[in-house]
Amino acid sequence: MIPFASQRSNGQDLAVHLMNEHDNDSVSLVSLRGSVAKDLSGAFAEWEVQAHTLTNCKKYLYSLSVNPDKNQSPMSQELYLEYLDRVEEELGLSEQPRAVVRHVKEGREHYHAIYSRIDPWVGKAVQISHDKIKLMEVTR
């Protein structure tokens, strides 16, 4: 599998992009935790409010896409979710709000996981250092 991640803002733009059925064969919200809202737009709006009221953090989201490696056999949704659990443990995101979206585009299944970096109990953003190295370690 091939991970790609970034810290970002503009949750509403991301929600529109992730739920775009026009550019994908299939889109589904696999899971959502840490929000009252049951949809991506509402959850990201909640997380943005936390970021602005509790911190000065501008890039309050951590966005991770996980694509299949063409040299490996297809993975089940369960294996993708287990991978995400290992990634969030390594990055210190295990307790953070998270959304997982499944896309199928031109027959290629891939997943997106978006985390709120804001820890509301501490009132600070989770610091994510050396994530590319850590992602590669988990992937191996």
Side-chain angles (χ1 to χ4, degrees), residues 43-110:
F44 290 177
E46 289 177 34
W47 301 348
E48 183 175 8
V49 167
Q50 285 182 337
H52 293 306
T53 57
L54 298 175
T55 72
N56 291 323
C57 181
K58 302 290 185 233
K59 295 183 178 183
Y60 59 94
L61 297 174
Y62 185 77
S63 177
L64 170 66
S65 68
V66 183
N67 290 281
D69 185 334
K70 294 176 187 175
N71 298 322
Q72 295 177 326
S73 57
M75 290 178 39
S76 67
Q77 179 171 296
E78 181 179 325
L79 285 175
Y80 275 106
L81 295 175
E82 285 177 16
Y83 174 78
L84 293 176
D85 289 343
R86 290 194 315 270
V87 164
E88 60 189 52
E89 181 71 30
E90 185 68 27
L91 296 178
L93 296 169
S94 295
E95 302 298 319
Q96 292 306 110
R98 176 185 86 176
V100 177
V101 176
R102 176 185 172 269
H103 282 174
V104 177
K105 187 172 190 171
E106 298 174 5
R108 178 182 55 88
E109 179 182 49
H110 59 285

Side-chain angles (χ1 to χ4, degrees), residues 82-83 86-87 90 133-140:
E82 285 177 16
Y83 174 78
R86 290 194 315 270
V87 164
E90 185 68 27
I133 293 169
K134 291 176 182 177
L135 285 171
M136 293 316 298
E137 288 173 358
V138 171
T139 301
R140 284 189 196 114

